[in-house]
Amino acid sequence: MLEGMNAPHHGSLDETTYHFGDTAVVFDLDGTLVDSEPNYFKASLGTLARYGVTDFTWADHELYVGISTLETIGIWQCRYGIEAPALDLLDDLNARYLELARADTHVFPQMRLFVERLHTAGVPMIVASGSSPEAIEAILTGTGLGAQLTRYVSADEVALGKPAPDVFLEAARRLGVVPARCVVLEDAAPGAAAAHAAGMRCIALPYVAAQADDPAFTTADLLFKGGQEEFTARAACAWLERSAASA
């Protein structure tokens, strides 16, 4: 595993032509491409309050980073004794989240630049997320990322969410490539574990600083331990080119 700060930073993206071979790239969405967790937290506060839970904190929310929305709701039902059907909670949470997301969702600047460079180079790309298809579509459209990222798959469309590999394997199937060709970008430990289980390379950039030492991140091929503050499109492109050359 190579840590991001030790990855070569030579050359400018505006001046350097990269060669990525037959690599395909699979992006997680929340916490990787966009900083959507604050919106999910606000939506969660509203939904849980509706069902009588008023002590939900950001620290509680961090426990669910990286797993699917539907699985999160299942845990809530057990933890808080919520008897309402999971789909009712899901509909309520999605409605609240989509209202917030459409109003304001921040794309990480270096990640947008990375997507643009991969798109220019003709690299096949897809989003594989634990969010609902409606949420993914809204984020990609609202942020303009959908111009480059035209394909996506939701964990709602497969049997098991992360850390199971299902959503990444489905992403590879939709791209028409074998898993070994894929590089996953992930911010959460369950996603890094899912990438490893899928037989894919992984660039990891932990969203939750306290989780940066999670053993799942040791399986990543390139780790930006400082998360988005450390990640640069240039370093990722340089590593991806070397990785393609040695594959």
Side-chain angles (χ1 to χ4, degrees), residues 135-153:
I136 299 170
E137 177 71 27
I139 292 297
L140 293 179
T141 300
T143 59
L145 287 170
Q148 291 88 32
L149 294 165
T150 59
R151 290 172 284 195
Y152 61 83
V153 56

Side-chain angles (χ1 to χ4, degrees), residues 155-237:
D156 292 357
E157 301 174 89
V158 297
L160 297 172
K162 304 168 190 176
D166 301 32
V167 70
F168 289 145
L169 293 175
E170 176 62 16
R173 188 193 70 79
R174 293 188 185 188
L175 287 177
V177 302
V178 296
R181 278 185 54 189
C182 296
V183 173
V184 172
L185 275 89
E186 258 290 350
D187 72 290
H196 183 67
M200 299 178 178
R201 289 163 286 161
C202 180
I203 298 175
L205 47 162
Y207 182 86
V208 180
Q211 296 178 8
D213 291 321
D214 189 293
F217 285 124
T218 65
T219 66
D221 299 272
L222 176 62
L223 174 63
F224 292 92
K225 198 169 184 179
Q228 292 289 348
E229 291 186 3
E230 183 181 326
F231 176 84
T232 67
R234 181 171 60 183
C237 281

Side-chain angles (χ1 to χ4, degrees), residues 28-230:
D28 172 58
L29 180 63
D30 304 300
T32 299
L33 283 168
V34 299
D35 191 10
S36 52
E37 294 303 339
N39 284 340
Y40 263 118
F41 175 59
K42 292 175 185 176
S44 297
L45 287 175
T47 296
L48 288 170
R50 178 181 178 183
Y51 292 95
V53 180
T54 58
D55 59 349
F56 189 72
T57 67
W58 177 257
D60 292 326
H61 176 75
E62 286 184 337
L63 299 175
Y64 305 105
V65 171
I67 64 176
S68 75
T69 306
L70 195 55
E71 287 176 282
T72 295
I73 286 171
I75 296 171
W76 286 352
Q77 289 177 304
C78 293
R79 181 175 179 180
Y80 300 115
I82 299 172
E83 297 181 357
L87 290 180
D88 288 357
L89 274 77
L90 182 64
D91 288 344
D92 185 86
L93 181 63
N94 275 339
R96 294 174 189 272
Y97 172 72
L98 286 172
E99 182 178 358
L100 292 164
R102 289 182 175 124
D104 182 30
T105 296
H106 172 69
V107 181
F108 294 113
Q110 285 294 313
M111 199 59 71
R112 186 188 290 277
L113 183 58
F114 186 47
V115 169
E116 290 172 352
R117 294 306 173 188
L118 295 178
H119 178 71
T120 298
V123 175
M125 296 183 290
I126 190 170
V127 171
S129 171
S131 289
S132 68
E134 295 80 11
I136 299 170
E137 177 71 27
I139 292 297
L140 293 179
T141 300
T143 59
L145 287 170
Q148 291 88 32
L149 294 165
T150 59
R151 290 172 284 195
Y152 61 83
V153 56
S154 165
D156 292 357
E157 301 174 89
V158 297
L160 297 172
K162 304 168 190 176
D166 301 32
V167 70
F168 289 145
L169 293 175
E170 176 62 16
R173 188 193 70 79
R174 293 188 185 188
L175 287 177
V177 302
V178 296
R181 278 185 54 189
C182 296
V183 173
V184 172
L185 275 89
E186 258 290 350
D187 72 290
H196 183 67
M200 299 178 178
R201 289 163 286 161
C202 180
I203 298 175
L205 47 162
Y207 182 86
V208 180
Q211 296 178 8
D213 291 321
D214 189 293
F217 285 124
T218 65
T219 66
D221 299 272
L222 176 62
L223 174 63
F224 292 92
K225 198 169 184 179
Q228 292 289 348
E229 291 186 3
E230 183 181 326

Side-chain angles (χ1 to χ4, degrees), residues 16-35:
T16 305
T17 300
Y18 292 95
H19 303 282
F20 301 118
D22 63 356
T23 299
V25 176
V26 182
F27 287 94
D28 172 58
L29 180 63
D30 304 300
T32 299
L33 283 168
V34 299
D35 191 10

